[in-house]
Amino acid sequence: MTGEASVRDAARSRLTQVFLPAGALLLLVTVLLLTTLSGRAPAGDPVPAEDSVAVGFSRDMAVHHQQAVEMSLAVLRDGASPQVRTLAYDIANTQATQRGMMLGWLQTWGRTATSSGPAMLWMDMPAPSAADRRAGVLMPGMADRTDMARLSAAHGRQADLLYLRLMIIHHRGGVHMAEAVTANGTPQTVHRLAQGMVRGQRAEIALMESLLTDLGAGSP
């Protein structure tokens, strides 16, 4: 059994129904949206340059993660499948925590959380087109505003299926971004986090594809 398969099977074995009363869901939303500045770069590490992979990755992935949290909260609120809602809870918690680490690094390095320049330049990718910017698609895998509105309005099985399809695409984009972070010239903390994202999100992609099959739908 591959490592990815074992992670997926372990996750499936612990998927249990998540009941979130209105008050608990509100608390979760508050905690997740306020999870920032929790990462600290080790003392003595050189400060990455403004145009470095470490700074660009931390900025752009923080934005990418924020959308994943918003998508997960939508299906936690309106989804029907206990398995999908449990997965969404895990994704929301994990990505909010990672987002806080990256914003904390930026603060420690004396870098702003956002840049006046276009996204994804650190990967030597073309800047998002004007049409993509208008649609809110700034990075690989991000859902556009129309799909986010559809997810927000969906309920029950429809919400589950749309969430899984959008999050699989979102994770594929996230893996592509994280794989671009190499050990060459990148702080170890940043490289380790990127490697962990690749492993974790690949396993979650496999799990989501399996959940789509269980729900009688195909992968995107």
Side-chain angles (χ1 to χ4, degrees), residues 31-32 35-36 65 69 91-101:
V31 170
L32 294 181
T35 301
T36 58
H65 273 27
V69 171
I91 289 174
N93 273 290
T94 298
Q95 297 216 5
T97 300
Q98 291 175 345
R99 179 175 181 272
M101 292 173 66

Side-chain angles (χ1 to χ4, degrees), residues 27-194:
L27 178 61
L28 175 63
V29 172
T30 302
V31 170
L32 294 181
L33 294 183
L34 294 180
T35 301
T36 58
L37 308 184
S38 60
R40 291 293 180 268
D45 273 6
V47 174
E50 176 66 21
D51 62 351
S52 66
V53 167
V55 171
F57 169 77
S58 297
R59 280 182 179 144
D60 287 351
M61 192 61 89
V63 174
H64 203 268
H65 273 27
Q66 180 61 26
Q67 187 181 68
V69 171
E70 292 169 4
M71 293 164 65
S72 298
L73 291 175
V75 82
L76 276 169
R77 183 186 64 237
D78 296 321
S81 165
Q83 290 81 9
V84 173
R85 296 177 76 235
T86 299
L87 175 65
Y89 183 87
D90 287 346
I91 289 174
N93 273 290
T94 298
Q95 297 216 5
T97 300
Q98 291 175 345
R99 179 175 181 272
M101 292 173 66
M102 292 181 286
L103 293 174
W105 292 337
L106 290 168
Q107 184 186 61
T108 300
W109 298 331
R111 307 299 180 190
T112 58
T114 59
S115 170
S116 58
M120 301 306 299
L121 292 182
W122 61 277
M123 278 185 69
D124 294 325
M125 289 181 62
S129 67
D132 282 342
R133 291 196 301 272
R134 287 193 297 271
V137 180
L138 304 178
M139 295 146 209
M142 288 188 71
D144 63 23
R145 290 192 174 95
T146 299
D147 280 333
M148 290 296 288
R150 287 174 57 215
L151 180 60
S152 181
H155 294 273
R157 183 173 182 273
Q158 181 187 20
D160 296 334
L161 293 176
L162 183 56
Y163 172 78
L164 291 172
R165 287 171 175 149
L166 292 176
M167 191 59 78
I168 286 171
I169 295 169
H170 198 274
H171 268 25
R172 287 173 181 164
V175 168
H176 178 57
M177 292 168 65
E179 285 178 331
V181 179
T182 66
N184 185 24
T186 302
Q188 277 193 345
T189 49
V190 179
H191 186 232
R192 281 197 300 267
L193 179 65

